[in-house]
């Protein structure tokens, strides 16, 4: 072949050129002489001409052979991406035939997958990038990874220009957003990740989405993506479709978008509707979060629609019948029901009989005998109880319940068990300013009023005589079933000393007592324990006295005369003046009686004057 090339070179008719002749000068000389400049022939064309000249045949070289020659001498530009075929795989390199006179080599690491396995086999087709040529060594260095990167950037540019989407996987969180793998690393701002703020950003990591390229800079390897733009476009499309089909009364599926304390916002397909907390259930709902989570698919009914303001009111409980419509038949007055305590207030407990129907047990209806200050003393939230229906008003959606009515009323039999006049014995359960409470039966206490503790003692407070826990006896004085009052008396265990006071203290009798109190209107004298008499200021002395204060002291011993007794009003009138006058009369009578028969007119006159004076007094 080499000889043929030489022979053909000798046969070509070309201008003679000395080795010193400069090709540029020769070309200029040819232009000066007016010779036509021939286009340069490729090496393949020259070889073909030589073969044709040597054979002397007029036939052209076959096209496939011609192509092989051209490809074997073709040189790609550095940085160009070409298609090659793997011809061998060894420990360190993969040899790829790209149609050049020598194969290109690629480091084996570029073919390893995540598990370290080599994903390459002889005969596989692969896109590679020409990194650089080495003509001296006839070696070409290729890169599969860089080829893939170039293709990605080309795809990014195409998607950006055509406003198309690109698929990517969120790999991790970064400051201000996320890092997304779209073949190269791109940035997704947090504000562009969704239509609403994402509470748990970690939930996005590892998920694959479609994105829109907002901007890119290949030199800086900077790419900014948006998912929100696509979601907004999709929502607007759904919104138009939804607004054209919805109407009041329509039942529609939606997705919980947001949850507040007053309700749930539901995405109906580009249009948001509010499901108010009062329209979620016929029953009690403390907070919508108890029933829903963001993303839940629910079915609702359109209650009200304002297209101009794009406001939609939704209802869920309206999908089922109102339980109050049949409540009167289901819960007649007097019937026993079972329910669950759902809430407590100061005035009672609310009991759920079924979803949507609650009854109130007032604190006054919780016990026949105990005074309940707060329902928490009897029941607790979540507890199941039995009650009796006392009243029902379906129109007002109210049911009154009673707990104590489940058991017989002890006040119905207490009067039979403890008739008036019965002596009972019990423990003091409480002491107040106005009396003491004695336990009778379970839940029933009897009151001994302070005035019924003693006939005679003046008691300022019951604690002077008793303490809590003491065992005492008392007599049943009265039972008031309506007012639920049980009256007892301790002093009634003994007879009233005032009933016999007239026998002990006769009118006109001289008595002695102790001063217990001194007032402007008189002096109180204790004759015996609990029995006092009053010496009025006018009965202290024959002389006129404005006030006895200062004349007597508490504890002084005084002797007086009993003037009058009123057992009903518990009063005894005493007089010191009358006692003194009585003593003077006795002395005068004694004096007169000691005077002998009158011996003169003067003696008779004196005797008559003394007698008249005594009569006047």
């Amino acid at each position: 072949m080499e000889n043929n090339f030489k022979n053909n070179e000798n046969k070509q008719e070309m201008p003679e050129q000395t080795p010193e002749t400069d090709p540029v000068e020769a070309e200029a000389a040819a232009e000066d002489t007016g010779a036509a400049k021939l286009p340069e022939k490729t090496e393949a064309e020259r070889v073909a001409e030589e073969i044709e000249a040597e054979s002397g045949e007029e036939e052209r070289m076959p096209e496939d052979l011609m192509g092989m020659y051209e490809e074997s001498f073709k040189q790609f530009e550095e940085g160009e991406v070409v298609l090659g075929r793997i011809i061998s795989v060894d420990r360190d390199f993969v040899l790829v035939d790209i149609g050049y006179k020598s194969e290109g080599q690629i480091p084996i690491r570029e073919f390893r997958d995540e598990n370290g396995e080599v994903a390459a086999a002889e005969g596989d087709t692969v896109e590679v990038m020409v990194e650089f040529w080495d003509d001296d060594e006839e070696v070409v260095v290729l890169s599969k990874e860089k080829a893939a990167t170039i293709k990605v950037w080309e795809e990014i540019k195409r998607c950006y220009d055509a406003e198309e989407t690109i698929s990517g996987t969120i790999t991790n969180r970064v400051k201000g957003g996320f890092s997304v793998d779209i073949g190269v690393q791109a940035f997704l701002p947090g504000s562009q990740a969704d239509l609403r703020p994402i509470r748990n950003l970690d939930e996005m990591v590892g998920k694959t989405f479609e994105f829109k390229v907002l901007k890119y800079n290949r030199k800086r390897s900077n790419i900014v993506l948006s998912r929100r733009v696509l979601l907004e476009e999709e929502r607007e499309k759904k919104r138009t479709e939804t607004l054209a089909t919805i109407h009041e009364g329509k039942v529609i599926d939606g997705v919980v978008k947001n949850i507040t304390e007053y309700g749930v916002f539901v995405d109906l397909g580009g249009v948001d509707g509010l499901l108010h907390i009062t329209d979620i259930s016929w029953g009690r709902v403390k907070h919508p979060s108890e029933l829903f989570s963001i993303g839940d698919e629910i079915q609702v009914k359109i209650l009200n629609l304002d297209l101009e303001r794009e406001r939609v009111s939704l209802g869920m409980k309206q999908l089922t019948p109102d339980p109050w419509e049949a409540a009167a038949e289901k819960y007649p007055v007097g019937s026993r029901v079972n329910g669950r305590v759902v809430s407590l207030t100061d005035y009672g407990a609310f009991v759920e009989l079924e979803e949507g129907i609650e009854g109130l047990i007032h604190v006054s209806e919780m016990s026949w005998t105990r005074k309940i200050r707060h329902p928490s003393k009897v029941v607790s939230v979540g507890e199941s109880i039995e009650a009796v229906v006392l009243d029902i008003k379906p129109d007002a959606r109210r049911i009154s319940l009673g707990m104590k009515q489940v058991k017989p009323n002890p006040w119905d039999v207490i009067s039979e068990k403890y008739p008036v006049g019965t002596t009972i014995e019990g423990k003091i359960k409480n002491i107040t300013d106005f009396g003491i409470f004695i336990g009778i039966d379970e839940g029933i206490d009897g009151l001994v009023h302070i005035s019924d503790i003693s006939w005679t003692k003046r008691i300022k407070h019951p604690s002077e005589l008793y303490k809590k826990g003491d065992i005492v006896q008392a007599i049943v004085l009265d039972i008031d079933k309506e007012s639920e009052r049980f009256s007892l008396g301790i002093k009634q265990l003994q007879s009233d000393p005032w009933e016999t006071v007239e026998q002990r203290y006769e009118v006109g009798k001289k008595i002695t007592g102790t001063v217990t109190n001194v007032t402007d209107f008189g002096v109180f004298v204790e004759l015996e324990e609990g029995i006092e008499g009053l010496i009025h200021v006018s009965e202290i002395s024959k002389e006129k006295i404005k006030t006895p204060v200062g004349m007597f002291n508490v504890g002084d011993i005084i002797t007086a005369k009993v003037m009058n007794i009123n057992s009903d009003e518990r009063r005894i009138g005493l007089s010191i003046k009358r006692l003194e006058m009585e003593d003077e009369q006795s002395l005068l009578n004694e004096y007169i009686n000691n005077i002998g028969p009158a011996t003169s007119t003067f003696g008779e006159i004196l005797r008559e004057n003394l007698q008249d004076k005594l009569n006047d007094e």
Side-chain angles (χ1 to χ4, degrees), residues 146-201:
K146 293 182 179 179
T149 301
I150 292 174
K151 298 294 289 185
V152 171
W153 280 103
E154 291 177 353
E155 179 66 11
I156 292 171
K157 180 179 184 304
R158 187 191 68 79
C159 292
Y160 179 80
D161 294 339
E163 295 187 355
E164 294 182 1
T165 63
I166 191 169
S167 180
T169 302
I170 297 177
T171 56
N172 59 283
R173 290 173 52 187
V174 295
K175 183 177 180 181
F178 302 91
S179 179
V180 183
D181 182 8
I182 58 172
V184 294
Q185 290 299 314
F187 176 63
L188 173 65
S191 60
Q192 298 294 321
D194 208 328
L195 292 173
R196 59 184 181 276
I198 301 172
R199 295 182 179 180
N200 188 359
L201 299 178

Side-chain angles (χ1 to χ4, degrees), residues 69-345:
Y69 273 103
E70 289 183 353
E71 287 296 328
S72 64
F73 290 98
K74 183 177 180 181
Q75 183 172 338
F76 300 103
E77 295 181 1
E78 293 182 358
E80 184 177 354
V81 176
V82 297
L83 191 64
R85 183 173 58 86
I86 297 176
I87 58 176
S88 68
V89 178
D90 59 23
R91 180 177 180 181
D92 297 321
F93 294 97
V94 174
L95 295 183
V96 180
D97 179 14
I98 60 172
Y100 185 56
K101 56 186 176 181
S102 62
E103 294 79 11
Q105 59 183 14
I106 302 175
I108 191 69
R109 60 176 176 77
E110 294 192 19
F111 287 88
R112 295 189 183 278
D113 56 19
E114 297 177 353
N115 299 323
E117 299 293 332
V118 176
E122 294 184 9
D124 290 350
T125 302
V126 60
E127 285 187 333
V128 295
M129 187 197 81
V130 179
E131 288 202 66
F132 64 89
W133 299 90
D134 189 343
D135 291 331
D136 296 335
E137 299 293 333
E138 293 186 350
V139 174
V140 59
V141 178
L142 307 176
S143 173
K144 173 178 172 290
E145 292 179 349
K146 293 182 179 179
T149 301
I150 292 174
K151 298 294 289 185
V152 171
W153 280 103
E154 291 177 353
E155 179 66 11
I156 292 171
K157 180 179 184 304
R158 187 191 68 79
C159 292
Y160 179 80
D161 294 339
E163 295 187 355
E164 294 182 1
T165 63
I166 191 169
S167 180
T169 302
I170 297 177
T171 56
N172 59 283
R173 290 173 52 187
V174 295
K175 183 177 180 181
F178 302 91
S179 179
V180 183
D181 182 8
I182 58 172
V184 294
Q185 290 299 314
F187 176 63
L188 173 65
S191 60
Q192 298 294 321
D194 208 328
L195 292 173
R196 59 184 181 276
I198 301 172
R199 295 182 179 180
N200 188 359
L201 299 178
D202 291 330
E203 291 181 353
M204 300 288 289
V205 177
K207 293 184 178 180
T208 301
F209 302 101
E210 291 292 320
F211 301 95
K212 193 167 187 178
V213 180
L214 295 183
K215 61 180 180 178
Y216 74 96
N217 188 318
R218 184 169 181 178
K219 291 182 179 179
R220 298 181 179 179
S221 296
N222 183 24
I223 308 168
V224 179
L225 305 176
S226 173
R227 178 171 172 258
R228 180 173 181 171
V229 172
L230 301 178
L231 295 176
E232 288 176 345
E233 293 175 355
E234 182 180 357
R235 183 179 64 178
E236 183 62 26
K237 181 181 178 181
K238 289 182 178 179
R239 174 181 167 278
T240 303
E241 296 174 353
T242 302
L243 289 175
T245 57
I246 62 175
H247 56 80
E248 292 184 5
K250 182 178 181 179
V251 177
I252 189 172
D253 294 329
V255 178
V256 175
K257 183 177 181 180
N258 193 19
I259 300 175
T260 67
E261 61 181 7
Y262 57 85
V264 176
F265 286 94
V266 183
D267 184 1
L268 305 176
V271 177
D272 292 344
L274 173 62
L275 175 60
H276 197 269
I277 188 172
T278 58
D279 290 312
I280 292 176
S281 172
W282 293 112
R284 180 187 296 263
V285 179
K286 291 183 179 179
H287 197 282
S289 60
E290 297 177 351
L291 303 175
F292 304 104
S293 298
I294 294 177
D296 287 350
E297 295 182 0
I298 62 174
Q299 192 176 62
V300 292
K301 186 176 183 179
I302 298 176
L303 304 180
N304 188 28
L305 179 62
D306 187 347
L307 292 176
E308 293 182 0
R309 302 170 68 182
E310 293 189 7
R311 290 188 177 181
V312 184
S313 297
L314 306 174
M316 179 176 278
K317 70 181 185 182
Q318 288 78 5
L319 298 175
T320 58
D322 185 353
W324 281 97
E325 294 177 357
E329 299 178 359
K330 194 171 182 180
Y331 306 105
V333 174
S335 62
R336 290 197 176 194
V337 295
N338 292 293
R340 181 177 60 88
V341 178
V342 292
S343 69
L344 301 177
T345 66

